[in-house]
Amino acid sequence: MGFETKTIRIAMNGITGRMGYRQHLLRSILPIRDAGGFALEDGTKVQVEPILVGRNEAKIRELAELHKVAEWTTDLDSVINDPTVDIIFDASMTSLRAATLKKAMLAGKHIFTEKPTAETLEEAIELARIGKESGVTAGVVHDKLYLPGLVKLRRLVDEGFFGRILSIRGEFGYWVFEGDVQAAQRPSWNYRKEDGGGMTTDMFCHWNYVLEGIIGKVKSVNAKTATHIPARWDEAGKEYKATADDASYGIFELETPAGEPVIGQINSSWAVRVYRDELVEFQIDGTHGSAVAGLNKCVAQQRAHTPKPVWNPDLPVTESFRSQWQEVPANAELDNGFKLQWEEFLRDVVASREHRFGLLSAARGVQLAELGLQSNDERRTIDIPEITL
């Protein structure tokens, strides 16, 4: 006797963008489809059927033909109102997202979405409220918590490796070319505040769930933003004024589940040249040990193996500090983080249950970004209040 196959139809909006195409279509949904789906615990097979949605008809048609996707459209409303569509996924511009998600949930569609979910905290809370009242399964991409490096880092926390955690520091960013001589690696709207761009808006929603997922609750924020590169060139080669911040430097007060205070510090910049092993790295320091994690790799140093450096600026450094750290093994096969979360979300959809990373978590990310910008404007530390629906 064969097991049942359940096909889930997913309308993927904004699929011509960098994240929508590379991570969600190319590395997540298509591999699931081409593998014949995946099995649930009861033997049921879950298969996916993508529908490509975007504003550029030529690009959408080209991608559909290239990847043998049968359905595509430029009419977002048509798929939202199509009773055969199960999920609306959104990776479009931030300024358009809240309206899309609201319309989809009110139409009874499950949603899976990139971040931030909205431009304002008020909109993000409204989405969380609608999601709760509608009964749909709502998921928000929390991809970094599924990355091998951070999975290893979280495992060290769970195992008590650090003792009492003292601090967490993060470094994120790379040089994004201005677009005049060499093409920029990011879309021009990222650097226009009026279009929903900005480093704080873009990345603080990530840092909120990373800090929550690894350390604990974020209690306060003190941020300094900057627009280091005042002029850039868009996709058509036209110069424009950068009105959004391209760097944000944040200090966060955190609290572990045990109530212990931890200091967090994260530098985020699209105007920095990389001198580290990966584009993002986090270091946790504790009384019993420290660890540094990137997207894939994680290294650690126990208290018993910690050397005793002596400050002497008159002599050249003779020891290799990097060689004094030990790599943390994966001890498991870790798939692409986006694909792993997609599969987890799809399991929740089939089971009609809440996804662990939902719209309330996303609202806290929007809140952190909003308060970070307020902190910069008012040049002070701001406490973070609880969100209630």
Side-chain angles (χ1 to χ4, degrees):
M1 180 177 176
F3 291 107
E4 175 191 1
T5 296
K6 183 173 181 60
T7 300
I8 299 179
R9 285 167 52 77
I10 307 169
M12 306 187 73
N13 183 43
I15 209 63
T16 58
R18 180 177 55 89
M19 292 296 292
Y21 176 64
R22 293 181 186 174
Q23 297 295 353
H24 293 285
L25 181 65
L26 202 61
R27 296 173 185 167
S28 300
I29 294 302
L30 292 181
I32 293 173
R33 181 198 69 177
D34 296 343
F38 60 90
L40 301 180
E41 290 76 5
D42 64 0
T44 301
K45 180 67 71 69
V46 176
Q47 178 57 295
V48 294
E49 190 175 291
I51 305 163
L52 307 190
V53 185
R55 293 178 294 175
N56 189 315
E57 181 177 339
K59 285 185 179 179
I60 288 289
R61 182 192 292 112
E62 180 184 358
L63 289 179
E65 292 175 353
L66 177 63
H67 297 294
K68 296 180 175 57
V69 176
E71 294 183 59
W72 59 269
T73 183
T74 59
D75 187 351
L76 176 59
D77 286 344
S78 70
V79 291
I80 289 177
N81 295 316
D82 184 343
T84 71
V85 172
D86 301 293
I87 296 170
I88 301 294
F89 165 72
D90 190 78
S92 62
M93 290 175 60
T94 302
S95 58
L96 304 175
R97 183 163 298 134
T100 297
L101 299 179
K102 180 178 179 180
K103 192 179 296 185
M105 288 188 291
L106 290 176
K109 297 293 188 288
H110 306 294
I111 62 163
F112 192 59
T113 179
E114 271 291 350
K115 306 157 304 299
T117 51
E119 291 187 285
T120 68
L121 177 58
E122 184 180 359
E123 288 178 314
I125 292 175
E126 181 189 16
L127 290 175
R129 188 176 294 118
I130 291 171
K132 183 177 181 180
E133 293 171 353
S134 68
V136 302
T137 300
V140 181
V141 179
H142 282 37
D143 57 288
K144 289 175 178 54
L145 292 179
Y146 294 79
L147 294 168
L150 294 192
V151 169
K152 298 170 190 175
L153 191 64
R154 175 67 212 193
R155 193 177 79 220
L156 293 177
V157 172
D158 292 340
E159 292 175 348
F161 171 83
F162 297 102
R164 182 167 61 86
I165 296 175
L166 308 174
S167 64
I168 178 169
R169 299 198 307 278
E171 289 285 345
F172 164 78
Y174 46 93
W175 188 267
V176 176
F177 284 93
E178 296 91 326
D180 52 347
V181 178
Q182 296 193 53
Q185 309 96 294
R186 299 186 66 88
S188 58
W189 71 264
N190 282 176
Y191 303 94
R192 291 192 292 266
K193 186 177 182 179
E194 59 272 22
D195 290 334
M199 176 61 86
T200 309
T201 299
D202 189 23
M203 294 309 302
F204 271 38
C205 57
H206 286 276
W207 303 151
N208 185 76
Y209 76 70
V210 167
L211 294 172
E212 281 187 348
I214 295 178
I215 300 294
K217 186 177 294 185
V218 185
K219 304 289 287 184
S220 76
V221 58
N222 190 316
K224 174 62 180 173
T225 71
T227 306
H228 290 306
I229 309 296
R232 293 179 179 271
W233 283 256
D234 65 18
E235 291 78 3
K238 182 180 179 181
E239 184 178 0
Y240 67 95
K241 181 181 179 181
T243 54
D245 52 302
D246 57 17
S248 191
Y249 309 92
I251 298 175
F252 311 93
E253 290 180 285
L254 312 171
E255 185 178 274
T256 68
E260 296 173 336
V262 176
I263 300 298
Q265 176 186 328
I266 304 178
N267 296 326
S268 312
S269 177
W270 289 318
V272 63
R273 292 177 177 88
V274 180
Y275 187 69
R276 58 188 111 90
D277 292 336
E278 302 197 54
L279 295 185
V280 63
E281 288 186 347
F282 293 93
Q283 176 166 338
I284 294 179
D285 290 300
T287 53
H288 293 168
S290 299
V292 179
L295 301 175
N296 292 286
K297 188 177 178 181
C298 182
V299 295
Q301 187 176 91
Q302 292 179 317
R303 179 184 180 95
H305 296 147
T306 302
K308 191 176 183 181
V310 177
W311 173 259
N312 189 343
D314 299 322
L315 296 176
V317 175
T318 57
E319 57 186 322
S320 172
F321 291 108
R322 287 180 183 269
S323 66
Q324 296 165 353
W325 296 68
Q326 184 176 5
E327 186 164 353
V328 178
N331 289 345
E333 185 175 341
L334 300 175
D335 204 346
N336 178 279
F338 289 88
K339 179 172 175 281
L340 286 173
Q341 189 177 357
W342 261 109
E343 291 182 354
E344 181 181 328
F345 173 72
L346 292 170
R347 291 175 189 273
D348 292 338
V349 167
V350 173
S352 299
R353 65 190 175 217
E354 185 177 348
H355 187 61
R356 60 175 173 149
F357 300 126
L359 291 166
L360 185 57
S361 174
R364 290 195 296 271
V366 174
Q367 179 188 47
L368 185 63
E370 203 169 88
L371 294 180
L373 292 171
Q374 181 183 340
S375 168
N376 173 78
D377 293 342
E378 299 178 3
R379 301 175 69 85
R380 68 183 181 95
T381 298
I382 296 180
D383 291 333
I384 300 173
E386 291 280 351
I387 294 176
T388 56
L389 298 182

